[in-house]
Amino acid sequence: MELIKIDYLQIDVAASKLLTVSNLSINSRQKIGLVGNNGAGKTTLMKILAQEKFTDLFTIKGAVINNCNFAYVPQLLDAGDKSGGQREKLALSRAVAKLKNMPNGLLLLDEPTSNLDITQQQWLIKLINKSKIACLIVSHDQNFLDSVCNSIWYIQDQEVHNFSGTYEEFRSFRQDEQKRAETIYEQKEKHLEQLKRSYNQHFNKARTFSRNKKGLSSSDWRSKSLGKQKTANNVIRASKSLANRINKEKGELEKPPVHHAITLKNGNNGITDLSISSKSKALRLEKQPLNAYGQKLFNITQEVNLAYGSKIVLTGQNGVGKTVFLEQVKDRKLHGFYNPQLKIGYFNQNIVTSQTDKTLFDSLFATSIFDDSSTMQVLGDLHLRQYGDHKISDLSGGQLVCFNLAKIITGQYNLLLLDEPTNFLDIASINALAEFVRVYPFAMILVSHDQAFIKQLKVERWQIKNGLLLTSQAQKVKQQKRNNNELELLKFKLDQLMLDSKASISEIKQVKAKIQELQ
Protein backbone atom coordinates (compact mmCIF):
# COMPACT_ATOMS: atom_id res chain seq x y z
CA MET A 1 0.00 0.00 0.00
CA GLU A 2 1.20 3.50 -0.87
CA LEU A 3 1.75 5.47 2.36
CA ILE A 4 3.36 8.61 0.87
CA LYS A 5 3.12 9.80 -2.73
CA ILE A 6 5.19 12.65 -4.21
CA ASP A 7 4.35 13.51 -7.81
CA TYR A 8 6.39 16.70 -7.80
CA LEU A 9 8.03 18.76 -5.10
CA GLN A 10 10.43 21.70 -5.37
CA ILE A 11 12.10 23.23 -2.34
CA ASP A 12 13.76 26.66 -2.57
CA VAL A 13 15.70 28.42 0.17
CA ALA A 14 16.09 32.19 -0.06
CA ALA A 15 14.98 32.06 -3.72
CA SER A 16 17.66 29.45 -4.60
CA LYS A 17 16.78 25.90 -5.57
CA LEU A 18 17.60 23.36 -2.87
CA LEU A 19 15.92 20.16 -3.98
CA THR A 20 13.49 18.65 -6.49
CA VAL A 21 11.57 15.39 -5.98
CA SER A 22 9.73 13.78 -8.88
CA ASN A 23 7.50 10.71 -8.73
CA LEU A 24 8.60 8.97 -5.52
CA SER A 25 6.56 6.96 -3.05
CA ILE A 26 6.88 5.08 0.23
CA ASN A 27 5.04 1.75 0.46
CA SER A 28 4.04 -0.51 3.36
CA ARG A 29 6.93 -2.34 5.06
CA GLN A 30 9.48 -0.50 2.93
CA LYS A 31 12.72 0.49 4.70
CA ILE A 32 14.30 3.43 2.86
CA GLY A 33 17.66 5.06 3.57
CA LEU A 34 17.95 8.73 2.53
CA VAL A 35 21.58 9.66 1.77
CA GLY A 36 23.41 12.70 0.41
CA ASN A 37 26.05 15.26 1.30
CA ASN A 38 25.56 17.63 4.22
CA GLY A 39 23.43 20.60 3.19
CA ALA A 40 21.79 18.72 0.30
CA GLY A 41 18.33 18.92 1.89
CA LYS A 42 17.80 15.54 3.60
CA THR A 43 16.50 16.93 6.91
CA THR A 44 14.38 19.54 5.08
CA LEU A 45 12.66 16.80 3.05
CA MET A 46 12.16 14.74 6.20
CA LYS A 47 10.51 17.71 7.95
CA ILE A 48 8.16 18.28 4.99
CA LEU A 49 7.03 14.64 5.19
CA ALA A 50 6.61 15.08 8.97
CA GLN A 51 4.41 18.16 8.29
CA GLU A 52 6.70 20.51 10.21
CA LYS A 53 6.28 24.28 9.83
CA PHE A 54 8.85 26.32 7.91
CA THR A 55 9.95 29.95 8.02
CA ASP A 56 9.32 32.38 5.15
CA LEU A 57 12.85 31.66 3.96
CA PHE A 58 11.56 28.41 2.43
CA THR A 59 9.35 28.17 -0.65
CA ILE A 60 7.75 24.77 -1.22
CA LYS A 61 5.98 24.02 -4.50
CA GLY A 62 3.98 20.85 -5.10
CA ALA A 63 2.31 18.59 -2.59
CA VAL A 64 2.75 15.36 -0.65
CA ILE A 65 -0.16 12.89 -0.60
CA ASN A 66 -0.16 11.38 2.88
CA ASN A 67 -2.03 8.15 3.63
CA CYS A 68 -0.27 7.06 6.81
CA ASN A 69 0.11 7.44 10.55
CA PHE A 70 3.65 8.60 11.20
CA ALA A 71 6.06 9.16 14.08
CA TYR A 72 9.00 11.53 13.62
CA VAL A 73 12.23 11.32 15.64
CA PRO A 74 14.39 14.39 14.81
CA GLN A 75 18.17 14.52 14.97
CA LEU A 76 18.46 17.00 17.87
CA LEU A 77 16.50 15.96 20.93
CA ASP A 78 15.96 17.79 24.20
CA ALA A 79 18.66 16.42 26.50
CA GLY A 80 16.81 16.69 29.81
CA ASP A 81 18.63 14.72 32.50
CA LYS A 82 19.52 11.76 30.25
CA SER A 83 22.58 11.02 28.08
CA GLY A 84 22.36 11.33 24.30
CA GLY A 85 22.11 7.57 23.85
CA GLN A 86 19.46 7.19 26.56
CA ARG A 87 17.19 9.92 25.19
CA GLU A 88 17.61 8.64 21.62
CA LYS A 89 16.69 5.09 22.65
CA LEU A 90 13.68 6.35 24.63
CA ALA A 91 12.44 8.47 21.70
CA LEU A 92 12.82 5.54 19.28
CA SER A 93 11.03 3.13 21.63
CA ARG A 94 8.13 5.58 22.06
CA ALA A 95 7.84 6.14 18.30
CA VAL A 96 7.64 2.38 17.59
CA ALA A 97 5.15 1.86 20.46
CA LYS A 98 2.97 4.70 19.13
CA LEU A 99 2.66 3.07 15.70
CA LYS A 100 2.48 -0.55 16.84
CA ASN A 101 -1.32 -0.75 16.90
CA MET A 102 -1.97 1.83 14.16
CA PRO A 103 -2.61 0.92 10.52
CA ASN A 104 -0.33 2.23 7.78
CA GLY A 105 2.52 3.19 10.11
CA LEU A 106 5.58 5.14 8.95
CA LEU A 107 8.70 5.92 11.04
CA LEU A 108 10.63 9.05 10.04
CA LEU A 109 14.10 8.87 11.62
CA ASP A 110 16.77 11.57 11.26
CA GLU A 111 20.27 10.27 12.15
CA PRO A 112 18.96 7.77 14.75
CA THR A 113 22.38 6.19 15.46
CA SER A 114 24.37 9.40 16.04
CA ASN A 115 24.14 9.09 19.84
CA LEU A 116 23.95 5.31 20.11
CA ASP A 117 26.85 3.05 21.09
CA ILE A 118 27.44 -0.24 19.27
CA THR A 119 25.19 -2.27 21.62
CA GLN A 120 22.36 0.27 21.25
CA GLN A 121 22.80 0.27 17.46
CA GLN A 122 22.39 -3.51 17.41
CA TRP A 123 19.23 -3.11 19.51
CA LEU A 124 17.83 -0.62 16.97
CA ILE A 125 18.74 -2.83 13.98
CA LYS A 126 16.83 -5.75 15.56
CA LEU A 127 13.90 -3.48 16.42
CA ILE A 128 13.55 -2.16 12.84
CA ASN A 129 14.09 -5.54 11.17
CA LYS A 130 11.45 -7.21 13.37
CA SER A 131 8.93 -4.41 12.85
CA LYS A 132 6.45 -4.36 9.96
CA ILE A 133 6.34 -0.55 10.15
CA ALA A 134 7.71 1.27 7.08
CA CYS A 135 10.71 3.56 7.66
CA LEU A 136 12.41 6.51 5.99
CA ILE A 137 15.82 6.96 7.61
CA VAL A 138 18.37 9.74 7.17
CA SER A 139 21.74 8.26 8.13
CA HIS A 140 25.47 8.43 7.42
CA ASP A 141 26.09 5.13 9.20
CA GLN A 142 26.86 2.72 6.36
CA ASN A 143 26.76 -0.42 8.50
CA PHE A 144 23.32 0.58 9.86
CA LEU A 145 21.98 1.41 6.39
CA ASP A 146 23.14 -1.92 5.00
CA SER A 147 21.60 -3.80 7.96
CA VAL A 148 18.07 -2.35 7.72
CA CYS A 149 17.33 -0.79 4.30
CA ASN A 150 15.87 -2.43 1.20
CA SER A 151 15.74 0.81 -0.83
CA ILE A 152 17.91 3.92 -1.06
CA TRP A 153 16.89 7.48 -1.92
CA TYR A 154 19.99 9.43 -2.92
CA ILE A 155 20.43 13.12 -3.65
CA GLN A 156 22.45 13.97 -6.74
CA ASP A 157 22.50 17.26 -8.66
CA GLN A 158 19.74 18.67 -6.40
CA GLU A 159 17.34 15.84 -7.24
CA VAL A 160 16.22 12.80 -5.24
CA HIS A 161 16.64 9.49 -7.07
CA ASN A 162 15.48 6.01 -6.09
CA PHE A 163 17.55 2.82 -6.00
CA SER A 164 15.85 -0.51 -5.23
CA GLY A 165 18.26 -2.62 -3.22
CA THR A 166 20.46 -2.70 -0.13
CA TYR A 167 23.00 -0.02 0.68
CA GLU A 168 25.86 -2.38 -0.29
CA GLU A 169 24.22 -2.92 -3.70
CA PHE A 170 23.73 0.84 -4.01
CA ARG A 171 27.40 1.48 -3.27
CA SER A 172 28.44 -1.04 -5.94
CA PHE A 173 26.04 0.63 -8.38
CA ARG A 174 27.58 4.06 -7.65
CA GLN A 175 31.11 2.70 -8.08
CA ASP A 176 30.13 1.21 -11.44
CA GLU A 177 28.54 4.52 -12.40
CA GLN A 178 31.75 6.34 -11.53
CA LYS A 179 33.83 3.91 -13.61
CA ARG A 180 31.44 4.30 -16.57
CA ALA A 181 31.62 8.10 -16.30
CA GLU A 182 35.44 7.96 -16.27
CA THR A 183 35.49 5.60 -19.28
CA ILE A 184 33.10 7.84 -21.26
CA TYR A 185 35.20 10.89 -20.37
CA GLU A 186 38.38 9.16 -21.59
CA GLN A 187 36.65 8.15 -24.85
CA LYS A 188 35.42 11.70 -25.42
CA GLU A 189 38.92 13.04 -24.70
CA LYS A 190 40.42 10.66 -27.29
CA HIS A 191 37.76 11.64 -29.84
CA LEU A 192 38.49 15.32 -29.20
CA GLU A 193 42.22 14.71 -29.80
CA GLN A 194 41.37 12.97 -33.09
CA LEU A 195 39.26 15.96 -34.15
CA LYS A 196 42.12 18.32 -33.29
CA ARG A 197 44.59 16.27 -35.37
CA SER A 198 42.14 16.22 -38.27
CA TYR A 199 41.60 19.97 -37.95
CA ASN A 200 45.37 20.62 -38.00
CA GLN A 201 45.74 18.50 -41.15
CA HIS A 202 42.91 20.38 -42.91
CA PHE A 203 44.20 23.74 -41.70
CA ASN A 204 47.74 23.05 -43.01
CA LYS A 205 46.34 21.77 -46.31
CA ALA A 206 44.21 24.93 -46.71
CA ARG A 207 47.32 27.06 -46.17
CA THR A 208 49.11 25.35 -49.07
CA PHE A 209 46.33 26.45 -51.44
CA SER A 210 46.76 30.08 -50.47
CA ARG A 211 50.59 30.06 -50.83
CA ASN A 212 52.30 31.07 -54.14
CA LYS A 213 54.35 28.37 -55.84
CA LYS A 214 58.07 29.18 -56.01
CA GLY A 215 59.09 30.86 -59.28
CA LEU A 216 55.51 31.72 -60.36
CA SER A 217 53.90 35.13 -60.38
CA SER A 218 50.61 35.51 -58.53
CA SER A 219 48.64 35.76 -61.78
CA ASP A 220 50.32 32.62 -63.25
CA TRP A 221 49.78 30.69 -60.00
CA ARG A 222 46.09 31.64 -59.89
CA SER A 223 45.52 30.65 -63.52
CA LYS A 224 47.16 27.26 -62.94
CA SER A 225 45.15 26.71 -59.72
CA LEU A 226 41.63 27.36 -60.97
CA GLY A 227 40.95 23.63 -61.16
CA LYS A 228 41.99 23.20 -57.57
CA GLN A 229 39.92 26.06 -56.18
CA LYS A 230 36.90 23.90 -55.54
CA THR A 231 39.02 21.46 -53.51
CA ALA A 232 40.51 24.38 -51.59
CA ASN A 233 37.06 25.70 -50.69
CA ASN A 234 35.99 22.25 -49.50
CA VAL A 235 39.06 21.97 -47.28
CA ILE A 236 38.43 25.41 -45.76
CA ARG A 237 34.77 24.56 -45.09
CA ALA A 238 35.80 21.26 -43.50
CA SER A 239 38.32 23.12 -41.30
CA LYS A 240 35.64 25.52 -40.07
CA SER A 241 33.21 22.66 -39.43
CA LEU A 242 35.87 20.79 -37.43
CA ALA A 243 36.66 23.95 -35.43
CA ASN A 244 32.97 24.30 -34.55
CA ARG A 245 32.71 20.65 -33.51
CA ILE A 246 35.85 20.95 -31.38
CA ASN A 247 34.47 24.03 -29.59
CA LYS A 248 31.11 22.33 -29.04
CA GLU A 249 32.59 19.08 -27.70
CA LYS A 250 35.06 21.02 -25.54
CA GLY A 251 32.13 22.85 -23.94
CA GLU A 252 30.26 19.58 -23.33
CA LEU A 253 33.31 17.74 -21.95
CA GLU A 254 32.97 17.56 -18.18
CA LYS A 255 35.46 15.62 -16.12
CA PRO A 256 33.75 13.41 -13.50
CA PRO A 257 34.78 14.25 -9.92
CA VAL A 258 37.61 12.00 -8.74
CA HIS A 259 38.68 11.86 -5.10
CA HIS A 260 42.44 11.72 -4.62
CA ALA A 261 43.60 10.44 -1.25
CA ILE A 262 45.94 12.72 0.68
CA THR A 263 49.46 11.29 0.54
CA LEU A 264 51.13 13.95 2.74
CA LYS A 265 54.31 13.61 0.64
CA ASN A 266 54.40 17.38 0.24
CA GLY A 267 53.95 18.33 3.88
CA ASN A 268 55.94 21.35 4.99
CA ASN A 269 58.74 21.42 7.55
CA GLY A 270 56.19 21.34 10.37
CA ILE A 271 55.92 17.55 9.94
CA THR A 272 59.68 17.06 10.43
CA ASP A 273 59.72 19.40 13.42
CA LEU A 274 57.06 17.27 15.16
CA SER A 275 58.73 13.92 14.60
CA ILE A 276 59.53 11.70 17.57
CA SER A 277 62.25 9.07 17.34
CA SER A 278 60.74 5.77 16.22
CA LYS A 279 62.55 4.12 19.16
CA SER A 280 60.75 6.39 21.63
CA LYS A 281 57.26 6.02 23.07
CA ALA A 282 54.83 8.88 22.55
CA LEU A 283 52.98 7.92 25.72
CA ARG A 284 53.25 5.34 28.52
CA LEU A 285 50.52 5.10 31.18
CA GLU A 286 50.95 3.31 34.49
CA LYS A 287 48.48 0.92 36.14
CA GLN A 288 45.84 3.10 37.80
CA PRO A 289 42.11 3.72 38.26
CA LEU A 290 40.40 6.36 36.16
CA ASN A 291 38.09 8.48 38.33
CA ALA A 292 35.62 11.23 37.47
CA TYR A 293 32.54 12.81 39.02
CA GLY A 294 33.46 11.30 42.39
CA GLN A 295 33.43 7.71 41.18
CA LYS A 296 35.72 5.15 39.57
CA LEU A 297 34.93 4.61 35.87
CA PHE A 298 37.44 1.86 35.04
CA ASN A 299 40.87 0.45 35.85
CA ILE A 300 44.04 0.41 33.78
CA THR A 301 45.38 -2.93 34.99
CA GLN A 302 48.50 -3.08 32.80
CA GLU A 303 50.98 -0.51 31.60
CA VAL A 304 49.67 1.09 28.40
CA ASN A 305 52.14 2.02 25.66
CA LEU A 306 51.43 4.19 22.65
CA ALA A 307 54.16 4.00 20.02
CA TYR A 308 55.13 6.83 17.71
CA GLY A 309 52.84 6.65 14.66
CA SER A 310 50.35 4.21 16.27
CA LYS A 311 46.64 4.54 15.50
CA ILE A 312 44.14 3.31 18.09
CA VAL A 313 40.33 3.03 18.04
CA LEU A 314 38.80 3.14 21.53
CA THR A 315 35.35 1.55 21.86
CA GLY A 316 32.90 0.87 24.67
CA GLN A 317 29.31 1.54 25.67
CA ASN A 318 28.09 5.06 26.40
CA GLY A 319 29.02 6.26 29.88
CA VAL A 320 31.99 3.92 30.50
CA GLY A 321 34.53 6.78 30.41
CA LYS A 322 35.91 7.06 26.86
CA THR A 323 35.63 10.87 26.68
CA VAL A 324 36.98 11.25 30.24
CA PHE A 325 39.99 9.11 29.26
CA LEU A 326 40.76 11.34 26.26
CA GLU A 327 40.35 14.50 28.34
CA GLN A 328 42.68 13.23 31.06
CA VAL A 329 45.31 12.25 28.48
CA LYS A 330 44.94 15.72 26.92
CA ASP A 331 45.41 17.40 30.31
CA ARG A 332 48.21 14.92 31.23
CA LYS A 333 46.38 14.01 34.44
CA LEU A 334 46.93 10.27 34.16
CA HIS A 335 50.14 8.97 35.75
CA GLY A 336 52.82 7.94 33.31
CA PHE A 337 55.42 9.13 30.83
CA TYR A 338 54.56 11.81 28.27
CA ASN A 339 57.27 12.32 25.64
CA PRO A 340 58.76 15.83 26.05
CA GLN A 341 58.18 16.43 22.31
CA LEU A 342 54.51 15.46 22.56
CA LYS A 343 52.03 18.03 21.26
CA ILE A 344 48.42 16.95 21.76
CA GLY A 345 45.48 18.03 19.60
CA TYR A 346 41.99 17.29 20.94
CA PHE A 347 38.72 17.30 18.99
CA ASN A 348 35.42 17.31 20.83
CA GLN A 349 32.14 18.34 19.20
CA ASN A 350 31.26 20.48 22.21
CA ILE A 351 34.38 22.64 21.98
CA VAL A 352 33.50 26.05 20.53
CA THR A 353 36.06 27.85 18.40
CA SER A 354 36.65 31.43 19.49
CA GLN A 355 34.56 33.69 17.27
CA THR A 356 36.99 35.86 15.31
CA ASP A 357 36.90 37.97 12.18
CA LYS A 358 39.58 35.77 10.62
CA THR A 359 38.50 33.94 7.49
CA LEU A 360 38.44 30.15 7.40
CA PHE A 361 41.39 30.09 4.96
CA ASP A 362 43.50 32.53 7.03
CA SER A 363 42.89 30.62 10.25
CA LEU A 364 43.58 27.16 8.82
CA PHE A 365 46.61 27.94 6.65
CA ALA A 366 48.25 29.75 9.57
CA THR A 367 48.49 26.51 11.59
CA SER A 368 48.42 23.65 9.05
CA ILE A 369 51.50 21.40 8.98
CA PHE A 370 50.64 20.25 5.46
CA ASP A 371 51.18 21.91 2.12
CA ASP A 372 48.41 24.05 0.60
CA SER A 373 47.26 21.26 -1.72
CA SER A 374 46.73 18.73 1.10
CA THR A 375 45.11 21.38 3.33
CA MET A 376 42.70 22.31 0.53
CA GLN A 377 41.93 18.62 0.03
CA VAL A 378 40.89 18.35 3.71
CA LEU A 379 38.64 21.41 3.30
CA GLY A 380 37.09 19.88 0.18
CA ASP A 381 36.47 16.56 1.95
CA LEU A 382 34.66 18.40 4.77
CA HIS A 383 32.67 20.56 2.29
CA LEU A 384 34.27 23.76 3.57
CA ARG A 385 36.26 24.90 0.54
CA GLN A 386 33.48 27.13 -0.80
CA TYR A 387 33.34 28.92 2.58
CA GLY A 388 37.07 29.65 2.67
CA ASP A 389 36.62 33.43 2.55
CA HIS A 390 33.86 33.42 5.20
CA LYS A 391 34.60 34.68 8.70
CA ILE A 392 34.76 32.03 11.42
CA SER A 393 32.07 33.96 13.29
CA ASP A 394 29.68 33.54 10.32
CA LEU A 395 29.89 29.73 10.09
CA SER A 396 26.83 27.64 10.97
CA GLY A 397 26.92 25.12 13.83
CA GLY A 398 27.63 22.14 11.54
CA GLN A 399 30.25 24.08 9.57
CA LEU A 400 31.92 25.12 12.81
CA VAL A 401 32.18 21.48 13.94
CA CYS A 402 33.77 20.55 10.59
CA PHE A 403 36.12 23.55 10.83
CA ASN A 404 37.19 22.48 14.35
CA LEU A 405 37.94 19.01 12.99
CA ALA A 406 39.94 20.41 10.04
CA LYS A 407 41.86 22.72 12.40
CA ILE A 408 42.84 19.81 14.67
CA ILE A 409 43.75 17.16 12.09
CA THR A 410 45.94 19.58 10.08
CA GLY A 411 47.32 21.32 13.17
CA GLN A 412 50.80 21.29 14.68
CA TYR A 413 50.35 18.16 16.79
CA ASN A 414 51.89 14.68 16.92
CA LEU A 415 49.15 13.02 18.97
CA LEU A 416 45.53 13.49 17.95
CA LEU A 417 42.66 12.62 20.30
CA LEU A 418 39.44 12.54 18.27
CA ASP A 419 36.13 12.04 20.11
CA GLU A 420 33.39 10.83 17.73
CA PRO A 421 34.77 12.74 14.70
CA THR A 422 32.24 11.19 12.27
CA ASN A 423 29.02 12.31 13.99
CA PHE A 424 28.43 15.41 11.86
CA LEU A 425 30.05 14.12 8.67
CA ASP A 426 28.32 12.72 5.60
CA ILE A 427 29.35 9.41 4.03
CA ALA A 428 31.81 10.92 1.53
CA SER A 429 33.53 12.87 4.33
CA ILE A 430 33.65 9.82 6.61
CA ASN A 431 35.35 7.77 3.88
CA ALA A 432 37.81 10.61 3.25
CA LEU A 433 38.56 10.88 6.98
CA ALA A 434 39.30 7.13 7.07
CA GLU A 435 41.86 7.64 4.27
CA PHE A 436 43.40 10.56 6.17
CA VAL A 437 43.72 8.49 9.37
CA ARG A 438 45.51 5.71 7.50
CA VAL A 439 48.19 8.02 6.04
CA TYR A 440 48.54 10.39 9.02
CA PRO A 441 52.23 10.29 10.06
CA PHE A 442 51.78 10.62 13.82
CA ALA A 443 49.95 8.94 16.72
CA MET A 444 46.18 9.00 17.12
CA ILE A 445 43.52 7.74 19.52
CA LEU A 446 39.96 8.08 18.29
CA VAL A 447 36.61 7.16 19.78
CA SER A 448 33.91 5.97 17.40
CA HIS A 449 30.76 3.85 17.31
CA ASP A 450 30.65 3.85 13.48
CA GLN A 451 31.38 0.20 12.66
CA ALA A 452 31.89 0.74 8.92
CA PHE A 453 34.38 3.55 9.67
CA ILE A 454 36.26 1.41 12.22
CA LYS A 455 36.39 -1.49 9.74
CA GLN A 456 37.91 0.78 7.07
CA LEU A 457 40.70 1.91 9.39
CA LYS A 458 42.18 -1.55 10.06
CA VAL A 459 44.03 -0.30 13.14
CA GLU A 460 44.58 -1.56 16.69
CA ARG A 461 41.55 -1.51 19.00
CA TRP A 462 41.25 -0.79 22.69
CA GLN A 463 38.03 -1.45 24.56
CA ILE A 464 36.57 -0.36 27.89
CA LYS A 465 34.54 -3.29 29.18
CA ASN A 466 33.47 -4.55 32.62
CA GLY A 467 35.34 -1.71 34.32
CA LEU A 468 38.66 -2.45 32.58
CA LEU A 469 40.69 -0.88 29.78
CA LEU A 470 41.49 -3.78 27.46
CA THR A 471 44.36 -2.95 25.13
CA SER A 472 45.64 -5.41 22.55
CA GLN A 473 48.47 -6.34 24.90
CA ALA A 474 46.08 -6.83 27.83
CA GLN A 475 43.82 -8.99 25.66
CA LYS A 476 46.83 -11.07 24.57
CA VAL A 477 47.80 -11.64 28.23
CA LYS A 478 44.19 -12.54 29.05
CA GLN A 479 44.08 -14.97 26.13
CA GLN A 480 47.40 -16.47 27.22
CA LYS A 481 46.03 -17.07 30.74
CA ARG A 482 42.94 -18.68 29.22
CA ASN A 483 45.15 -20.88 27.02
CA ASN A 484 47.31 -21.89 30.00
CA ASN A 485 44.23 -22.91 31.97
CA GLU A 486 42.88 -24.89 29.04
CA LEU A 487 46.30 -26.51 28.56
CA GLU A 488 46.40 -27.71 32.17
CA LEU A 489 42.90 -29.16 31.87
CA LEU A 490 43.81 -30.98 28.64
CA LYS A 491 46.95 -32.43 30.19
CA PHE A 492 44.92 -33.68 33.12
CA LYS A 493 42.35 -35.16 30.70
CA LEU A 494 45.14 -36.87 28.75
CA ASP A 495 46.51 -38.45 31.95
CA GLN A 496 43.01 -39.75 32.77
CA LEU A 497 42.56 -41.19 29.27
CA MET A 498 45.94 -42.94 29.39
CA LEU A 499 44.86 -44.68 32.60
CA ASP A 500 41.44 -45.60 31.19
CA SER A 501 41.53 -48.95 29.38
CA LYS A 502 38.26 -48.16 27.63
CA ALA A 503 39.55 -44.88 26.07
CA SER A 504 39.89 -44.97 22.29
CA ILE A 505 43.15 -44.19 20.50
CA SER A 506 41.40 -41.56 18.33
CA GLU A 507 40.21 -39.69 21.43
CA ILE A 508 43.74 -39.70 22.90
CA LYS A 509 45.13 -38.42 19.58
CA GLN A 510 42.58 -35.58 19.50
CA VAL A 511 43.54 -34.41 23.02
CA LYS A 512 47.26 -34.62 22.15
CA ALA A 513 46.67 -32.54 19.00
CA LYS A 514 44.89 -29.84 21.01
CA ILE A 515 47.75 -29.75 23.54
CA GLN A 516 50.33 -29.36 20.74
CA GLU A 517 48.24 -26.57 19.16
CA LEU A 518 48.11 -24.58 22.43
CA GLN A 519 51.80 -25.17 23.14
Side-chain angles (χ1 to χ4, degrees), residues 494 497-498 500 503-513:
L494 181 62
L497 289 171
M498 296 295 288
D500 186 356
S504 67
I505 293 173
S506 63
E507 191 177 2
I508 292 171
K509 282 183 176 179
Q510 283 176 3
V511 174
K512 279 185 174 180

Side-chain angles (χ1 to χ4, degrees), residues 94-113:
R94 284 175 174 169
V96 172
K98 174 187 170 183
L99 296 175
K100 193 172 183 180
N101 297 317
M102 287 185 175
N104 307 333
L106 173 63
L107 268 177
L108 300 171
L109 309 178
D110 194 354
E111 292 291 357
T113 63

Side-chain angles (χ1 to χ4, degrees), residues 29 42 46 78 112 121 156 162 166 184 204 218-219 236 261 277 283 288 310 320 403 423-424 428-429 438 458 485 514:
R29 299 196 181 192
K42 301 184 299 296
M46 182 74 81
D78 180 22
Q121 288 174 25
Q156 183 180 0
N162 178 61
T166 65
I184 291 168
N204 291 330
S218 295
S219 58
I236 292 166
S277 167
L283 179 68
Q288 60 195 294
S310 292
V320 295
F403 170 73
N423 268 8
F424 282 84
S429 298
R438 285 196 295 270
K458 297 178 182 176
N485 291 337
K514 285 181 181 178

Side-chain angles (χ1 to χ4, degrees), residues 22-303:
S22 301
N23 196 26
L24 285 179
S25 60
I26 302 174
N27 299 310
S28 299
R29 299 196 181 192
Q30 202 172 9
K31 308 290 197 301
I32 303 171
L34 175 55
V35 299
N37 289 342
N38 284 340
K42 301 184 299 296
T43 294
T44 302
L45 177 58
M46 182 74 81
K47 286 181 176 180
I48 289 171
L49 300 183
Q51 300 175 6
E52 297 276 294
K53 290 183 179 179
F54 286 86
T55 64
D56 293 338
L57 200 63
F58 288 82
T59 304
I60 300 165
K61 299 173 185 174
V64 176
I65 301 169
N66 189 321
N67 187 32
C68 64
N69 294 296
F70 67 84
Y72 172 46
V73 182
Q75 184 176 356
L76 302 172
L77 298 165
D78 180 22
D81 58 350
K82 293 182 173 60
S83 69
Q86 287 173 328
R87 68 180 186 268
E88 189 75 42
K89 190 173 179 181
L90 181 61
L92 291 164
S93 299
R94 284 175 174 169
V96 172
K98 174 187 170 183
L99 296 175
K100 193 172 183 180
N101 297 317
M102 287 185 175
N104 307 333
L106 173 63
L107 268 177
L108 300 171
L109 309 178
D110 194 354
E111 292 291 357
T113 63
S114 59
N115 291 303
L116 303 183
D117 59 35
I118 292 172
T119 303
Q120 291 167 333
Q121 288 174 25
Q122 290 167 346
W123 163 83
L124 180 58
I125 288 168
K126 285 180 183 175
L127 183 71
I128 290 174
N129 285 338
K130 277 174 142 184
S131 173
K132 296 176 182 178
I133 301 167
C135 300
L136 177 65
I137 306 163
V138 171
S139 182
H140 296 142
D141 187 324
Q142 298 170 80
N143 179 72
F144 176 69
L145 288 168
D146 200 43
S147 299
V148 300
C149 295
N150 51 33
S151 291
I152 301 295
W153 285 4
Y154 64 101
I155 299 174
Q156 183 180 0
D157 300 327
Q158 298 179 298
E159 291 188 14
V160 184
H161 306 267
N162 178 61
F163 175 84
S164 296
T166 65
Y167 180 76
E168 184 60 39
E169 290 167 341
F170 165 73
R171 191 163 60 175
S172 296
F173 160 73
R174 294 287 283 165
Q175 287 170 350
D176 291 343
E177 251 192 356
Q178 176 72 20
K179 286 176 185 173
R180 277 196 300 272
E182 288 171 11
T183 302
I184 291 168
Y185 175 78
E186 287 169 7
Q187 289 171 346
K188 285 183 176 179
E189 259 196 327
K190 285 178 184 176
H191 184 246
L192 194 56
E193 287 303 314
Q194 288 173 350
L195 287 178
K196 286 177 181 177
R197 284 196 294 272
S198 182
Y199 169 78
N200 288 333
Q201 289 169 2
H202 280 75
F203 180 77
N204 291 330
K205 193 172 183 181
R207 287 179 65 191
T208 63
F209 283 112
S210 60
R211 194 182 298 130
N212 285 2
K213 296 293 182 183
K214 194 171 182 180
L216 290 176
S217 66
S218 295
S219 58
D220 288 343
W221 181 80
R222 279 195 299 271
S223 65
K224 288 180 179 291
S225 302
L226 286 174
K228 298 180 181 179
Q229 193 60 48
K230 189 175 179 181
T231 306
N233 290 338
N234 289 339
V235 171
I236 292 166
R237 277 196 298 273
S239 296
K240 288 180 179 177
S241 176
L242 283 168
N244 290 334
R245 283 182 66 187
I246 288 167
N247 288 332
K248 185 184 176 186
E249 292 195 21
K250 254 186 179 180
E252 292 173 351
L253 189 65
E254 189 176 343
K255 189 173 183 178
V258 178
H259 183 270
H260 299 286
I262 297 172
T263 62
L264 308 184
K265 288 178 182 175
N266 300 319
N268 64 27
N269 292 332
I271 288 185
T272 307
D273 295 343
L274 291 164
S275 295
I276 297 172
S277 167
S278 57
K279 296 179 182 178
S280 302
K281 296 292 181 187
L283 179 68
R284 189 168 61 243
L285 299 176
E286 299 170 2
K287 299 178 185 179
Q288 60 195 294
L290 188 139
N291 302 309
Y293 318 117
Q295 61 178 349
K296 185 173 77 176
L297 293 175
F298 63 86
N299 279 321
I300 300 173
T301 57
Q302 287 193 319
E303 187 179 273

